[in-house]
Amino acid sequence: MFWRELFLAKVDTAILFSLYVLAFWLPYSNAVVESSIVTALVLWAIKRFLSEGENLLERFRLPGSPHNFAIQYFLLFALISSLLSSEPLYSLSAYIKKTVEWFVLYFLVLEVFKTRKQVYIAIGILIFTSVAVSVDSLVQFHITGRDFFNGHPVSSQGRATASFDEPN
């Protein structure tokens, strides 16, 4: 149906926008980064649920990549390691929040970045954010003593932090 294809295209655009927001806010806000990933993941799930396919499992198949095999084994061994740790619940939580999250992001990028223009926009956002952090750091160190995004002071060692919690 035409409406379904149009809706799915709009969902792809919304996922793309969430990833652009993530790229912009990466150095400024962990909450926005996490929210962007969750939003993109929920939109992806909606898209896959409404997609055409023989069965539900087929609709949720991840995009193909030459790295899928290695990723599967890495995630499997990391999961086993988490479950066999001295604190399996804590380790499993960290596994999902810190390891799986970035592979989810990888597959979301594979799914929605389809043109060079989309990639160039993402790169442009990352460059803009990098320049903004650099200017913020220079202003913090040489002029104000505080960064202008999060208000972080210069570290106790006299090093600029810019929008980060620690000097980098």
Side-chain angles (χ1 to χ4, degrees):
M1 293 185 185
F2 175 72
W3 68 268
R4 181 186 306 184
E5 302 308 319
L6 183 63
F7 179 75
L8 294 178
K10 296 293 183 191
V11 170
D12 263 353
T13 301
I15 294 170
L16 194 60
F17 179 75
S18 290
L19 296 178
Y20 288 154
V21 168
L22 180 149
F24 178 79
W25 285 96
L26 202 55
Y28 311 117
S29 172
N30 289 336
V32 174
V33 168
E34 296 294 327
S35 298
S36 296
I37 290 173
V38 169
T39 300
L41 183 59
V42 168
L43 289 169
W44 176 83
I46 290 169
K47 173 188 167 188
R48 289 306 183 109
F49 186 75
L50 295 175
S51 295
E52 293 180 9
E54 302 253 341
N55 60 42
L56 198 57
L57 194 58
E58 181 182 305
R59 286 187 238 163
F60 281 89
R61 182 166 305 209
L62 295 174
S65 154
H67 309 294
N68 283 13
F69 187 73
I71 289 170
Q72 287 173 335
Y73 277 99
F74 174 81
L75 290 174
L76 175 66
F77 288 117
L79 176 63
I80 291 168
S81 175
S82 296
L83 294 174
L84 296 176
S85 73
S86 60
E87 294 188 46
L89 291 178
Y90 178 77
S91 295
L92 189 59
S93 172
Y95 168 77
I96 291 168
K97 293 177 187 175
K98 301 295 181 193
T99 305
V100 173
E101 177 180 50
W102 294 106
F103 288 105
V104 166
L105 180 62
Y106 169 75
F107 285 111
L108 285 170
V109 167
L110 283 181
E111 176 108 6
V112 297
F113 281 82
K114 297 178 179 142
T115 67
R116 284 181 185 245
K117 180 180 176 184
Q118 293 167 335
V119 173
Y120 289 152
I121 290 170
I123 291 170
I125 291 169
L126 289 171
I127 290 171
F128 176 81
T129 301
S130 299
V131 169
V133 168
S134 298
V135 169
D136 183 22
S137 178
L138 291 171
V139 169
Q140 178 191 30
F141 187 77
H142 294 291
I143 300 170
T144 65
R146 293 194 163 282
D147 88 285
F148 50 78
F149 291 114
N150 292 329
H152 293 149
V154 173
S155 76
S156 58
Q157 299 91 13
R159 296 172 55 202
T161 61
S163 60
F164 301 105
D165 293 332
E166 299 293 329
N168 290 303

